[in-house]
Amino acid sequence: MASEKVETIVAGNYVEMEREGEAKDSNSNKLSRYLWHGGSVYDAWFSCASNQVAQVLLTLPYSFSQLGMLSGILFQLFYGLMGSWTAYLISVLYVEYRTRKEREKVDFRNHVIQWFEVLDGLLGKHWRNAGLFFNCTFLLFGSVIQLIACASNIYYINDNLDKRTWTYIFGACCATTVFIPSFHNYRIWSFLGLLMTTYTAWYLTTAALLHGQVEGVTHSGPSKLVLYFTGATNILYTFGGHAVTVEIMHAMWKPQQFKLVYLFATLYVLTLTLPSAAAMYWAFGDMLLDHSNAFSLLPRSGFRNAAVVVMLIHQFITFGFACTPLYFVWEKAIGMHETKSVCKRALARLPVVIPIWFLAIIFPFFGPINSTVGSLLVSFTVYIIPAMAHMITFAPAAARENAVERPASFIGGWVGHYCMNAFVVVWVLVVGFGFGGWASMLNFVHQVDTFGLFTKCYQCPPKH
């Protein structure tokens, strides 16, 4: 009965807010509102699916060459399910936090709840600080990776400029995301982003199959432990895109409906990542070990150029997804978060883009940087911390008795939850952070030794 009452409280506030918005915008352009202002379950699904797979789609064939075909497929399925589980845990903790605060008459109309605030409200300042550090650092480097990917991709259409110069250009372009207020306003962008990723995935699959296997192709993976765990952590990174789950939920009109959204988004994403990575590895085999961007091995054509262009647009969208929570944190730090002027908030957000731009120029290692971020940051941000936070939050009997979201019986109730959470923590700590961190750091240092920091054109073929 308590659960039903809580759901009414949460949904009621959102419906009330939405009706107020409709009243204010009754004379505005309905088409603009339809394209711009989203908060449904479908909007959340598009946001999750679009955000989950972006430039990493182009590096998964590289991971398959490190892992081998069988391990590549199994790790995608395994980490896809594990990511869906921890996204579910984050959604449970968000609803629990929000409900407790709304019982205390806290009003969130002009405030976007974030993951570190959920940890603060449920577990205290030490958890808040840990969540803030890992979440912000991961999103910072997630934005860096999108910028690196933009420069890497455009080079395959126009190589008159080196990749570093393209990074300067796309850094300026991506800075325009400061004008997008919140995840409410990503409705059309999320939809377009997913269409673009879908086109690119099936282009890679079809192009690889039509190309056929290169002469003398070999499939020796896995050949080295370092490469094996580097590839595995890139897949860990792939399905760790739910660092923005809380912000996406907060943009929903009824956030308690989020529970299975990420799982269904993951299932769709697997229909893109598995065929494209498998087909590319089948066609090119070990050649992918030296080509972290799948575009580099496919012949230039109109279809490839179209795939490059749509991926560039999608990376711009994903940059916004990763950067928007950082904008919120910065706004709260300088006291601008509740300012209603879009232009004032945009101006206040600009300093966030500068370090991202700078880091993309220092570390332009498209591919290896994914694994490094995956092992050192994603492992804690979206796997270990949510699982441990869920266990500690509901450790007291009173917390379990009054929980807003009770565990499903088919999972084994609270015992099943705790067993799964413990498995996630141990596995990711040992395999993801331990072995993955060791392997990805060795590979990353090798890239620095080979190409150097601030390299002008990472993995560019010599010009004749």
Side-chain angles (χ1 to χ4, degrees):
M1 192 70 186
S3 177
E4 290 178 7
K5 183 178 179 182
V6 165
E7 287 191 3
T8 304
I9 291 171
V10 176
N13 276 351
Y14 275 92
V15 171
E16 184 182 340
M17 289 167 67
E18 181 61 16
R19 283 174 181 166
E20 284 183 3
E22 285 177 3
K24 291 177 183 177
D25 294 337
S26 58
N27 296 322
S28 65
N29 191 318
K30 290 185 178 181
L31 179 61
S32 175
R33 190 170 66 241
Y34 177 76
L35 296 176
W36 182 247
H37 188 66
S40 68
V41 174
Y42 302 104
D43 290 311
W45 183 85
F46 276 113
S47 293
C48 289
S50 179
N51 181 54
Q52 189 175 145
V53 58
Q55 52 72 37
V56 77
L57 185 69
L58 306 175
T59 65
L60 285 174
Y62 168 66
S63 296
F64 267 51
S65 69
Q66 296 170 320
L67 289 165
M69 185 74 80
L70 179 60
S71 291
I73 293 171
L74 292 177
F75 268 116
Q76 281 205 39
L77 295 172
F78 176 66
Y79 281 134
L81 290 174
M82 187 181 286
S84 300
W85 173 254
T86 52
Y88 165 72
L89 297 179
I90 292 171
S91 72
V92 169
L93 293 172
Y94 169 85
V95 172
E96 185 73 26
Y97 166 78
R98 175 154 189 140
T99 303
R100 291 184 187 182
K101 287 297 180 183
E102 290 190 343
R103 284 172 179 165
E104 298 169 6
K105 308 301 181 184
V106 177
D107 189 352
F108 293 109
R109 290 174 197 276
N110 295 315
H111 183 93
V112 176
I113 298 172
Q114 295 188 267
W115 175 231
F116 71 91
E117 293 169 319
V118 173
L119 292 173
D120 186 23
L122 296 177
L123 298 171
K125 66 177 182 179
H126 296 301
W127 280 86
R128 176 201 66 197
N129 294 339
L132 185 62
F133 170 77
F134 280 106
N135 200 262
C136 288
T137 311
F138 166 46
L139 292 172
L140 179 77
F141 278 96
S143 304
V144 168
I145 289 169
Q146 299 308 321
L147 205 48
I148 294 170
C150 286
S152 178
N153 289 344
I154 192 64
Y155 185 80
Y156 297 112
I157 290 182
N158 185 336
D159 58 3
N160 293 323
L161 300 176
D162 58 70
K163 291 182 181 179
R164 187 201 295 171
T165 304
W166 281 119
T167 304
Y168 292 137
I169 294 169
F170 279 99
C173 294
C174 289
T176 58
T177 57
V178 297
F179 289 100
I180 302 177
S182 74
F183 283 95
H184 266 303
N185 311 112
Y186 273 96
R187 166 174 276 185
I188 187 64
W189 296 115
S190 299
F191 176 74
L192 291 175
L194 193 57
L195 283 181
M196 293 166 183
T197 311
T198 302
Y199 169 81
T200 303
W202 287 108
Y203 160 73
L204 292 176
T205 306
T206 306
L209 293 175
L210 292 177
H211 183 280
Q213 291 185 313
V214 295
E215 186 177 351
V217 65
T218 55
H219 300 86
S220 59
S223 57
K224 297 179 181 178
L225 276 178
V226 171
L227 295 179
Y228 188 82
F229 285 109
T230 301
T233 49
N234 186 38
I235 296 178
L236 180 80
Y237 169 84
T238 301
F239 294 98
H242 45 291
V244 295
T245 297
V246 170
E247 288 83 359
I248 291 174
M249 285 187 71
H250 194 81
M252 294 177 69
W253 299 318
K254 295 182 179 180
Q256 71 271 26
Q257 295 179 344
F258 182 87
K259 286 180 283 189
L260 296 177
V261 166
Y262 197 85
L263 174 62
F264 287 116
T266 298
L267 293 176
Y268 179 78
V269 165
L270 286 170
T271 68
L272 307 180
T273 57
L274 285 172
S276 57
M280 286 294 296
Y281 182 53
W282 169 82
F284 298 101
D286 292 345
M287 288 178 65
L288 285 159
L289 288 170
D290 298 317
H291 296 81
S292 55
N293 190 323
F295 283 144
S296 63
L297 288 174
L298 293 169
R300 182 171 294 190
S301 68
F303 291 110
R304 194 189 76 162
N305 289 348
V308 170
V309 170
V310 297
M311 281 304 288
L312 287 171
I313 299 171
H314 186 254
Q315 280 149 8
F316 165 81
I317 297 168
T318 311
F319 181 94
F321 269 116
C323 233
T324 299
L326 296 177
Y327 296 151
F328 293 154
V329 172
W330 178 248
E331 287 171 357
K332 291 170 185 177
I334 63 174
M336 292 287 289
H337 185 58
E338 296 187 6
T339 302
K340 293 185 178 180
S341 170
V342 173
C343 292
K344 287 181 180 178
R345 289 178 69 186
L347 193 62
R349 290 172 169 188
L350 277 176
V352 177
V353 181
I354 295 171
I356 295 170
W357 212 346
F358 186 62
L359 288 168
I361 294 165
I362 300 177
F363 306 115
F365 310 125
F366 184 73
I369 194 172
N370 294 17
S371 300
T372 307
V373 171
S375 61
L376 302 182
L377 298 173
V378 174
S379 55
F380 283 95
T381 304
V382 294
Y383 293 101
I384 294 173
I385 290 178
M388 290 184 66
H390 188 274
M391 288 192 287
I392 296 171
T393 297
F394 296 106
R400 294 195 299 275
E401 182 67 27
N402 298 314
V404 179
E405 294 286 348
R406 296 183 176 277
S409 57
F410 70 88
I411 299 176
W414 289 108
V415 175
H417 265 59
Y418 271 75
C419 289
M420 291 183 71
N421 289 344
F423 173 77
V424 169
V425 171
V426 173
W427 176 275
V428 176
L429 193 61
V430 175
V431 178
F433 177 71
F435 290 112
W438 161 74
S440 58
M441 283 305 297
L442 281 180
N443 189 35
F444 191 81
V445 170
H446 174 68
Q447 304 302 317
V448 174
D449 291 340
T450 305
F451 297 96
L453 300 176
F454 294 99
T455 183
K456 288 185 69 174
C457 213
Y458 176 67
Q459 288 188 341
C460 294
K463 289 189 178 183
H464 299 294

